Every structure is written in structure tokens, then in C-alpha cells.
Amino acid sequence: MANELVELNVTGMHCNNCAISVHKLLEKKGLQNVLVNFASEEVKFSTNEQVTVPEVIAAIEGLGYHVIEDATNHHEKFYQKVDNKLIFCAIFTAPLLLHMVLPWHWLHHSTIQLAFCIPVFIVGCLHFGKSAINSLRGGVPNMDVLIMIGSTAAFVYSLVGTIQNLGENYLFYETCATIITLVLLGNLFEKRSVTQTTSAVKDLVKFQQVDARRVIDGEVEVIHATDVKSGDILLINTGDKIPVDGDIIDGDASVDESMLTGESLPVDKKKYDSVIGGTILQSGSIRIVATKVGSHSVLAQIIDLMKRAQAAKPPIQKLGDKVAGIFVPVVILISLLTFGITYYAVGTSMQTALMNAIAVLVISCPCAMGLATPTAVMVGLGRAAKGGVLIKGGDTIEAVANTKYVVFDKTGTLTTGKFKLQDINVLDETPIEKIRGVITAIEERSNHPIAKSLVEQLKPLAKEKVILKTVSEEKGLGMRAMDSDGNNYFLGASKDKIDTAFNLSLYKNQQPVARIAINDDIKPGAANLISELKKLGIKPVLLSGDKTDRCQTVAQALGIEKVHAEKLPDEKLSIIDVYKQKGKTIMIGDGINDAPALTKADVGVSMNDASQIAIQSARVILLNTDLNSLLFFMRVSKHTLITIKQNLFWAFAYNVVAIPLAACGFMSPMLGAFTMAFSDVVVIGNSLRLKVKNLR
């Protein structure tokens, strides 16, 4: 049970303050790897020996939130829905407001007003009260504390006036009811808006919720995608969503992979090609063998990455969190000072002093500060994902700001990686068929673009099959292997400085047996990318393990002035460190030898067809092959950061202006409740603009 990762679905968290309460609670219990996302209603943590999951669930529910089994099948009860609570409260609040304009004297009667107010006050206590009390227990008082103090003060003051028959100057039932009703309206808008910010993840989850046709002994049975097991044979026809990752064993097809790569053009697939769960079969009929199912599938891993990215806090959020954490006690103190100064020092009436104090409570909005960063990050990450860019952490967005250098690997990054075999120069008596067989057998075990291209071109020509006992890849050097006869081979970068046409050398038992000449083309869009980076004041750098002359050729064609060639992984690491000291550095690469440098850079960017190690090391993955998606990622990051700053400015400015106005009596509690409710909506609305904003 130790160190098991637990994921819970928790409802009832309406803003980042709620998430902070849950986060602090779990940390106090000594749990590790805590991630709390109020928008997706998810809580993750690693268990320890001292605390059981039922204990954690009980503690979370003790804070006033609800832990549910399955979020997809969860349906709120009628009386739990915010919109139903709002309608109920609005029905009783309307007469209390209308009594101020209608001539019906019975509406002015204190007991009638009390009767209309009590149902609304009870709903308010049930909706806000439990959360307020438990947030105080947890040491992170939330907005509900302010709402409850304000509405309760108005209700109790009015109740005392009714019991003692002190007259209509002591009746503020409409203030109590209107505060609760308007804040419920704000909660409804907030809930619907926040749901939109997480739509990117929810759209991806929908791709998983499909049926599959499993073939057993020639019979076809329909099962849910979650019931597919690795090794199952599945039949997929035109128009179907591919249920899981797999390899085609029969048929040809055209597959729409836009949900993964953002590219609209379908991809042709044939026998032995891989397909990804969630993509759509546009035409054709295929049978596949399931290879990756459940949490191991590409789609499941992307969803998990996005959820974790949304929960990762950028440094700019820490300011908002700190202020939100101390905000409620400060506002309560300002409210008490407002009452004391207005009543005792200025000498106004008890009613005026109380209304000013209540207005201070209900106009204040810590939620706007709590929502400012996470909502913008969620929308930004979703916009990037739909454009074929997977960002692993919300903090990555801020790391891109003020980038000074973008360091490129050459092979497979700036060049196509589709290498053309020019020539094989045999250096001893070994038959060419044997050479082809050895090269093919060795390179089949590598993910490097050169290896893939050599296998594709040599496999049909390799007549003599070579059986290898062991194969290992050495970062930045090449491949070592031993065949069934005990011969040792090394295939790697050529050490020949005289004839640079030959890129690779094959050694057998430490003796050179062949040299291989290959070349590749520059990627379409690479020149445009370098040009755009220069316009942004960013310096492009080429860092490669390839020969100097070939690196210089590519650099000159693209306009890159700084070139570091023939570098091993540890040397790449040192060079990245030098650039980091000069300014923010992005590294983009795709091979195993790039992995350390990708980790070392401020932001590591990997291509989708890169080695698994490179993808794991990078913080950003470009899911399509278009290099200009790097520019798209940088634009999304820039505009997300702008949106965060706009949101934080509004949240701070709103409170800085509104609280003094309320304290001085220029805003009534009802107007305060109305503006407070909509301050959240303004922040969320500004974040949602990112979905459609022109990023150029």
C-alpha cells in the first residue's frame, strides 16, 4: 500500500481557495505528491503507512466537500444543484425586493418579510455555512466565511428589530436574502465558465468512451474500449473511432489523427503500421492487434499529462495564492474597523455602520485572485493541445517568457530525418549482402531517425539474415552488437576526417569493414521558423553530434550563425549550461543523445516521433511534424501569461477600489454582492478569450 498513487473525484470545490484548503489538509497528514485541481474536481496523492484512504476521504468530506466514485456517472441530486438553489432563493427574494417599489402594505410587515427570508437564509447556511466553518477549521478561511458573516449579521440584526418591534429602519431581510441569491448566481456563472476551461481534457476523455469490435474465432462481439486487453484482435471499419493503440495486421486505411497532431490531412496506414486510440478511420477497413490499453495508451498518457500540467502552479500563481490565503482575515478586520469608525468615531447610525461593514464583507472577492492563474493556464494548455502541442506543466508557460536562445539539434529536428542512402563502401572481402544484413539487424533495434531510414531502404535488399545475440545503444556514439557466432560489431559516426562524404562506419571485431554515405533534407518551414525567431529577438543555435561541414551547410542554408558540431551528450550539456547563464534557453531535439540537454534547458521541446527517452525528458512535445508549431507554442505561452497578468490586475484592482468604496458607504451590500459575483465571471471570461484569441 505504501507510496501507491491514489486519485479521488471531489465535488464542491469552487475556486483555488477550496483547492488550497484540501492541499494543506493532505500535507498536514504527511501525504506526498499532492495535486489538487478544483476545475477538474480531482485530488491525487501518494499514500503512506500512517494514513489510510478512508481516513483521507473522511477528512476531505469533513471540510464540506464530497468524494464520489465515478465522475462520469455522477449526477447531483435535485436539491444539490446550484441552479435549483438559485431559482428557489430567487422566488422568495423577489417579494422582499418588490416591497420597496410596490404599494402593498402587507409586504412591509416584519413577520411577512421574516417568513420570506428564512427559507433563503437556511439555503445559504447549508450551501455556504458548512464550507465556511470547515475552511476555518482547516486554517484557510474562504470566501464563504465572508458571505456567511455578512448575511448572518443582516439577518440577526433584522430578527432583533422584529422581536423588539423597532420599526422598518431595523429591517434588512432583503439585504440578507439578496446577498445569498446573488452569490448563488455568481456561483452558477462561475461553475459553467470553469467547466469550459477544462473542455480540452473532457473532449479527449470522450475519445476514450467508445465501443470496440473484438474478433474471437471468426466471431465479432461488441465490447467497451475499457474492456479491451493487450493482444485482442479488433475489427475497425470506415467512420469508427479506433478504440485503443495497436498495430495493423490486415487491411489499408486512411486515418484522421487531428485530435492528436492538430493536422487536418488524413494519414495513410498499411499493414504493420501503428494506429492510436481515439483517432478516426476515415476510409478503409482494418484489423489490429491491441498493443497498449488502459493507462498505457498514448491518449491516456496525454490526458494524464494535461491534468498534471493544469495542476502545476507557475511561479506567478504563488503571489495570488499567498494573498488569497490571508485575504479573509484581513477583510474581516477591515469590516470590524469600518463598523467601529463609522459608528463610534464618525457618529452615524447603527444601521449605516452595520450596512457599511456588511458591504465590505460581501464585496470582497478572494476567489477572483484564486481563479486568475489556473483558469488562464487551463485554457492555454487546451488551446495548445488542440493545435498539436502538448505542454507538460503550467509552470512551463512562464518559463518561456523572455526566451533569449533556442538551441536546435540537427538530425530529425531541422532536417527531415528521412535519410537517403548514397553509397556503401566495403573495405574488406565481406559480401555486400552480408553488410546490408548486419546494418539492418543492428539498426532495427534503434529509434534514431538515421536507423529508421537505413532499415527502410536496406531491408528489402538484405538477402542474408544476421542473428544478433546482444545489441546496445551508446548515447551520441552508435550501436554495439554481437552475433550468434560471437563477432562484435560497432556501427557509428565515421572517424574519417579526410572523406567527409561517408557519415557512418561499420566495424567488425574492431576492424573497419564498411563506410556508409547518407544525407537528409532540410525540413519545410525550418527557414521560416528561424526567420520568425530572429524577428522576435531570439538567437537560434545549432547543437549537433554530426560532422562540422554538414552542420555548417544546414546552418548557412537556414541563417543560423552559432554552430556547435560533433558534440557528445555531456558536451551538449555543458553548452546548454553556458547559454542558460546568458539568458532563458529552449532546447529542441529528438534523440536519446538529446535527453540530458532537454532536461537541462529552461524548457526542453521534443518532436512526437522522437525516442521515448527524449519525450520523457522534454517539457513540451510537438505532436505534429511542422516546426512552426514551436512558434505556436511560444505564442500560446506568451498570451497565456498576458491573460494571467490581466486577471491578477483585475482581481487586485477590483478589491483595492471596491473595499474602500464599501467602507465609506458608497456601495450597498446588495450592489456589493452583485459586483462580487461578477468579478469572478470577468476573470473567467477573460481567460476564455484565449480559446478564440488571434495569437499573432
Side-chain angles (χ1 to χ4, degrees):
M1 187 69 183
N3 294 323
E4 181 187 342
L5 186 66
V6 177
E7 184 174 332
L8 301 175
N9 296 301
V10 180
T11 63
M13 299 186 290
H14 19 168
C15 77
N16 211 48
N17 244 20
C18 303
I20 292 170
S21 301
V22 176
H23 202 285
K24 286 199 172 181
L25 169 79
L26 299 182
E27 283 186 336
K28 280 181 185 175
K29 290 188 171 292
L31 299 170
Q32 302 293 318
N33 304 317
V34 178
L35 285 172
V36 183
N37 190 336
F38 74 91
S40 62
E41 300 185 323
E42 287 182 320
V43 173
K44 292 183 182 181
F45 57 88
S46 296
T47 57
N48 58 29
E49 300 288 353
Q50 289 74 39
V51 187
T52 64
V53 175
E55 282 180 67
V56 175
I57 291 173
I60 291 172
E61 295 198 326
L63 284 178
Y65 309 113
H66 301 288
V67 179
I68 58 175
E69 284 289 324
D70 184 2
T72 54
N73 295 324
H74 174 68
H75 300 288
E76 285 182 307
K77 292 174 182 172
F78 180 83
Y79 58 84
Q80 290 177 325
K81 292 181 178 178
V82 176
D83 41 0
N84 292 336
K85 290 178 183 177
L86 173 63
I87 293 167
F88 177 83
C89 291
I91 290 168
F92 287 95
T93 302
L96 290 171
L97 289 173
L98 290 171
H99 93 276
M100 294 185 284
V101 292
L102 294 175
W104 301 341
H105 294 291
W106 61 273
L107 282 176
H108 293 254
H109 201 282
S110 59
T111 52
I112 298 291
Q113 290 188 24
L114 174 61
F116 279 121
C117 185
I118 282 176
V120 181
F121 185 62
I122 290 171
V123 170
C125 289
L126 293 172
H127 186 80
F128 302 111
K130 190 177 180 183
S131 168
I133 291 166
N134 289 316
S135 75
L136 289 170
R137 278 186 196 157
V140 188
N142 60 18
M143 189 185 75
D144 294 343
V145 173
L146 303 179
I147 304 305
M148 281 315 301
I149 293 174
S151 57
T152 302
F155 181 80
V156 171
Y157 187 79
S158 304
L159 186 62
V160 170
T162 301
I163 293 168
Q164 296 185 1
N165 201 22
L166 297 175
E168 62 179 27
N169 286 339
Y170 283 82
L171 300 182
F172 296 101
Y173 289 118
E174 76 280 356
T175 299
C176 170
T178 307
I179 288 170
I180 291 167
T181 303
L182 286 175
V183 176
L184 282 171
L185 177 66
N187 281 181
L188 178 64
F189 284 144
E190 185 183 300
K191 184 179 179 182
R192 289 183 176 176
S193 299
V194 167
T195 300
Q196 289 184 49
T197 68
T198 57
S199 63
V201 170
K202 288 175 181 173
D203 288 346
L204 287 174
V205 170
K206 285 177 188 173
F207 283 110
Q208 293 180 308
Q209 297 166 354
V210 294
D211 289 331
R213 295 187 192 91
R214 182 164 59 188
V215 181
I216 301 178
D217 298 327
E219 297 293 319
V220 178
E221 63 172 349
V222 178
I223 59 172
H224 196 271
T226 52
D227 297 324
V228 175
K229 293 181 173 59
S230 184
D232 283 351
I233 306 298
L234 307 177
L235 174 66
I236 303 155
N237 295 325
T238 300
D240 290 349
K241 274 183 187 165
I242 296 171
V244 296
D245 295 4
D247 293 332
I248 298 174
I249 57 173
D250 184 43
D252 298 314
S254 183
V255 180
D256 177 1
E257 295 186 339
S258 58
M259 74 92 190
L260 182 74
T261 64
E263 292 183 354
S264 56
L265 291 175
V267 181
D268 291 331
K269 301 279 184 178
K270 59 185 184 300
K271 193 174 181 179
Y272 304 126
D273 284 347
S274 297
V275 290
I276 297 167
T279 56
I280 299 168
L281 197 73
Q282 279 204 343
S283 63
S285 178
I286 56 174
R287 283 194 305 156
I288 69 168
V289 57
T291 54
K292 293 177 183 174
V293 298
S295 61
H296 299 292
S297 71
V298 170
L299 185 59
Q301 288 175 352
I302 287 174
I303 291 168
D304 184 60
L305 276 174
M306 285 195 65
K307 285 177 179 178
R308 287 179 174 277
Q310 289 178 348
K313 295 180 182 181
I316 196 170
Q317 185 171 342
K318 291 172 185 172
L319 173 64
D321 284 356
K322 281 180 183 175
V323 174
I326 60 167
F327 188 86
V328 174
V330 170
V331 168
I332 292 171
L333 180 63
I334 293 171
S335 177
L336 291 171
L337 287 171
T338 298
F339 179 83
I341 292 168
T342 310
Y343 184 64
Y344 293 106
V346 179
T348 60
S349 64
M350 171 73 80
Q351 298 96 311
T352 303
L354 184 64
M355 286 300 103
N356 289 0
I358 291 172
V360 168
L361 289 171
V362 297
I363 204 167
S364 309
C365 189
C367 267
M369 281 177 279
L371 289 166
T373 301
T375 53
V377 167
M378 285 168 201
V379 178
L381 291 172
R383 175 85 186 260
K386 286 187 175 178
V389 179
L390 185 61
I391 303 171
K392 288 188 181 178
D395 50 346
T396 302
I397 284 170
E398 193 167 348
V400 175
N402 305 315
T403 296
K404 194 169 180 183
Y405 300 98
V406 175
V407 180
F408 294 92
D409 173 48
K410 182 181 79 71
T411 306
T413 304
L414 288 174
T415 59
T416 60
K418 300 290 183 186
F419 292 86
K420 291 172 187 165
L421 180 62
Q422 300 293 104
D423 188 18
I424 297 178
N425 183 8
V426 181
L427 302 176
D428 63 4
E429 301 301 319
T430 309
I432 186 67
E433 287 79 10
K434 176 81 170 179
I435 298 289
R436 289 169 181 159
V438 171
I439 294 170
T440 303
I442 293 173
E443 296 291 54
E444 276 182 323
R445 311 289 185 91
S446 174
N447 275 324
H448 196 280
I450 292 178
K452 290 178 181 177
S453 298
L454 283 175
V455 170
E456 189 178 329
Q457 293 170 77
L458 287 177
K459 199 166 189 177
L461 304 172
K463 306 297 183 190
E464 190 169 336
K465 186 75 174 172
V466 177
I467 299 170
L468 300 177
K469 288 174 66 178
T470 61
V471 180
S472 62
E473 187 164 1
E474 296 185 11
K475 289 181 182 179
L477 295 173
M479 304 285 291
R480 293 195 183 277
M482 185 171 73
D483 67 15
S484 55
D485 297 324
N487 294 306
N488 290 298
Y489 293 96
F490 176 77
L491 177 60
S494 178
K495 302 292 185 284
D496 187 348
K497 301 288 181 183
I498 302 166
D499 190 350
T500 57
F502 290 92
N503 315 63
L504 300 173
S505 293
L506 175 66
Y507 293 82
K508 179 181 178 182
N509 299 324
Q510 299 183 334
Q511 295 300 315
V513 291
R515 294 186 301 167
I516 303 115
I518 52 174
N519 65 7
D520 66 335
D521 300 321
I522 293 171
K523 274 187 179 177
N528 178 64
L529 170 62
I530 300 301
S531 173
E532 290 293 324
L533 288 175
K534 286 181 173 179
K535 287 177 188 174
L536 295 171
I538 298 169
K539 295 176 183 175
V541 178
L542 181 58
L543 174 60
S544 175
D546 205 353
K547 293 283 181 65
T548 302
D549 63 317
R550 281 190 290 274
C551 290
Q552 289 289 359
T553 301
V554 170
Q556 285 169 13
L558 296 175
I560 298 175
E561 293 162 16
K562 238 11 196 164
V563 179
H564 303 272
E566 300 182 35
K567 300 299 177 187
L568 295 173
D570 57 334
E571 293 173 316
K572 286 187 174 185
L573 211 58
S574 303
I575 290 166
I576 290 292
D577 203 29
V578 169
Y579 280 107
K580 271 185 75 177
Q581 290 172 21
K582 294 179 185 177
K584 283 272 185 75
T585 302
I586 294 175
M587 165 76 186
I588 175 166
D590 72 332
I592 290 177
N593 58 332
D594 296 320
L598 289 171
T599 307
K600 184 75 174 176
D602 291 302
V603 177
V605 181
S606 170
M607 313 298 285
N608 182 43
D609 54 358
S611 71
Q612 195 61 33
I613 295 172
I615 289 173
Q616 288 168 357
S617 304
R619 290 169 70 180
V620 178
I621 301 164
L622 306 182
L623 294 174
N624 60 43
T625 54
D626 183 3
L627 266 178
N628 285 302
S629 55
L630 177 68
L631 285 175
F632 175 70
F633 154 64
M634 295 178 76
R635 289 192 191 110
V636 168
S637 298
K638 176 187 173 184
H639 285 274
T640 302
L641 198 57
I642 289 170
T643 303
I644 291 170
K645 288 175 179 176
Q646 289 170 340
N647 287 349
L648 285 172
F649 174 80
W650 163 258
F652 284 118
Y654 163 81
N655 284 292
V656 166
V657 173
I659 292 173
L661 286 174
C664 295
F666 294 114
M667 297 187 84
S668 69
M670 286 181 283
L671 181 59
F674 183 80
T675 56
M676 184 280 296
F678 278 92
S679 67
D680 291 358
V681 178
V682 168
V683 165
I684 297 169
N686 189 46
S687 297
L688 288 173
R689 281 196 316 123
L690 260 176
K691 279 189 170 186
V692 294
K693 190 177 182 183
N694 185 351
L695 302 181
R696 291 194 176 274

